[in-house]
């Protein structure tokens, strides 16, 4: 069930996923620092979704409760923001991958699928699957028409929702729309489902409760073992 186009570009595309508070920003930051040390700052781009586009800004406002959007409207905004992020002239993900650069993205397609799958009744797993499949179908269509890019590597950090909520409360002191434990539990069901579907497509589930440095070492070793890593290294000037 691979609905995206495998990355056809010479650059390496790495994505971090997980619940809010699972540590994906921390790991994305550490990996990009390690890669910058090896490749230089200009070839490594640490980025995130929602992106810095105006659509990304509108999504963040909505998540912070400044105004409310319907779940469907929010999904379409995530998809629009992703296309801007991918295709922006010169500085988007695809132009950079085309130049053979390394892109580290904090959240991508799985986030849209998982967070967007939350059913009105949080325990309604059947409704959640229907939602997951309907967004999957939409992505197949978009893929056929436009070509979303499947990351070379996806890391999903596995951390229990209760721990995530504690970390968020300690680090940020505020809780966004998605950051309640019940919702995170439903979101995690979707992540597990997606991992089962895509585990053969370079999607890794990592125990995110270990010390930060231990996780970072495993991530870097996995990135370095990827066949494309050597090809990207050979592009060094
Ligand atoms: P996310 O990007 O997934 O929302 P962050 O990377 O911002 O999460 O991390 C949220 C908080 O959890 C931060 O205070 C961070 O230092 C802490 N944290 C991240 N990874 C770990 C870990 N492996 N163990 C303990 N705390 C962690």
């Amino acid at each position: 069930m691979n609905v995206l186009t495998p990355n056809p570009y010479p650059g390496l595309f790495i994505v971090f996923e997980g619940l809010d508070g699972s540590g994906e920003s921390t790991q994305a930051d550490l990996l990009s620092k390690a890669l910058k040390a090896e490749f230089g700052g200009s070839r490594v781009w640490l980025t995130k979704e929602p992106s810095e586009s105006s659509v990304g800004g509108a999504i963040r406002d909505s998540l912070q409760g400044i105004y409310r959007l319907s779940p469907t409207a929010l999904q379409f905004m995530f998809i629009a923001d992703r296309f801007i992020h991918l295709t922006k002239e010169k500085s988007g993900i695809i132009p950079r991958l085309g130049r053979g650069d390394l892109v580290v993205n904090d959240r991508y397609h799985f986030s849209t699928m998982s967070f967007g799958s939350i059913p009105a009744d949080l325990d309604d797993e059947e409704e959640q699957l229907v939602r997951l499949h309907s967004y999957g179908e939409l992505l197949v269509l978009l893929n056929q028409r436009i070509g979303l890019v499947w990351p070379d590597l996806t890391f999903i950090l596995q951390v229990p929702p209760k721990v995530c909520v504690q970390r968020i409360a300690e680090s940020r002191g505020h809780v966004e729309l998605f950051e309640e434990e019940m919702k995170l539990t439903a979101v995690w069901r979707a992540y597990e489902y997606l991992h089962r579907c895509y585990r053969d497509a370079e999607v890794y589930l990592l125990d995110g409760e270990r010390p930060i440095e231990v996780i970072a070492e495993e991530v870097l070793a996995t990135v370095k073992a990827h066949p494309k890593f050597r090809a990207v290294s050979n592009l060094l000037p």
Side-chain angles (χ1 to χ4, degrees):
M1 186 166 108
N2 191 346
V3 296
L4 302 187
T5 310
N7 175 8
Y9 305 102
L12 194 60
F13 185 25
I14 303 158
V15 166
F16 285 89
E17 291 279 4
L19 300 178
D20 296 312
S22 65
E24 83 258 5
S25 310
T26 304
Q27 292 302 328
D29 184 48
L30 288 174
L31 176 65
S32 70
K33 282 186 178 132
L35 294 175
K36 278 179 185 172
E38 198 147 335
F39 293 91
S42 64
R43 286 199 59 206
V44 180
W45 190 38
L46 171 61
T47 184
K48 65 173 186 242
E49 293 187 7
S51 79
E52 296 301 322
S53 77
S54 53
V55 180
I59 294 171
R60 271 190 294 278
D61 287 349
S62 172
L63 295 181
Q64 283 167 11
I66 294 172
Y67 58 87
R68 285 200 175 260
L69 289 169
S70 75
T72 305
L74 194 56
Q75 285 302 94
F76 279 107
M77 285 175 74
F78 271 112
I79 290 172
D81 179 52
R82 176 154 312 122
F83 274 102
I84 297 169
H85 199 201
L86 279 166
T87 59
K88 193 172 177 198
E89 198 179 8
K90 292 189 182 137
S91 63
I93 293 172
I94 289 176
R96 288 174 195 262
L97 294 175
R99 293 197 292 268
D101 289 351
L102 298 93
V103 177
V104 179
N105 198 9
D106 180 350
R107 299 198 173 287
Y108 193 59
H109 163 65
F110 280 5
S111 287
T112 319
M113 297 281 282
S114 300
F115 285 91
S117 76
I118 301 174
D121 169 1
L122 292 174
D123 293 325
D124 190 344
E125 296 188 26
E126 214 168 300
E127 170 63 15
Q128 187 168 13
L129 264 184
V130 170
R131 286 178 184 232
L132 269 174
H133 281 284
S134 60
Y135 287 124
E137 280 165 21
L138 180 65
L139 280 158
V140 170
L141 200 69
L142 288 170
N143 182 45
Q144 284 164 352
R145 295 284 159 84
I146 305 166
L148 279 167
V149 180
W150 187 259
D152 296 298
L153 285 152
T154 301
F155 296 105
I156 305 174
L157 290 159
Q158 181 168 20
V159 176
K162 192 181 275 303
V163 176
C164 290
V165 170
Q166 279 162 2
R167 285 187 190 171
I168 295 163
E170 280 163 22
S171 65
R172 295 175 216 164
H174 72 99
V175 172
E176 289 182 0
L177 194 68
F178 285 147
E179 296 177 343
E180 294 112 323
E181 191 180 332
M182 284 287 288
K183 282 188 182 153
L184 292 184
T185 302
V187 174
W188 184 251
R189 271 202 306 266
Y191 268 121
E192 281 188 316
Y193 174 80
L194 291 169
H195 176 249
R196 278 199 301 278
C197 294
Y198 293 103
R199 62 201 317 164
D200 296 331
E202 299 283 351
V203 177
Y204 296 87
L205 197 61
L206 303 180
D207 172 2
E209 287 192 278
R210 293 169 296 162
I212 289 171
E213 301 72 28
V214 174
I215 303 168
E217 270 173 35
E218 185 183 346
V219 166
L220 188 59
T222 309
V223 170
K224 287 191 168 181
H226 192 279
K228 228 171 155 186
F229 184 80
R230 188 171 300 166
V232 173
S233 305
N234 290 338
L235 291 173
L236 276 173

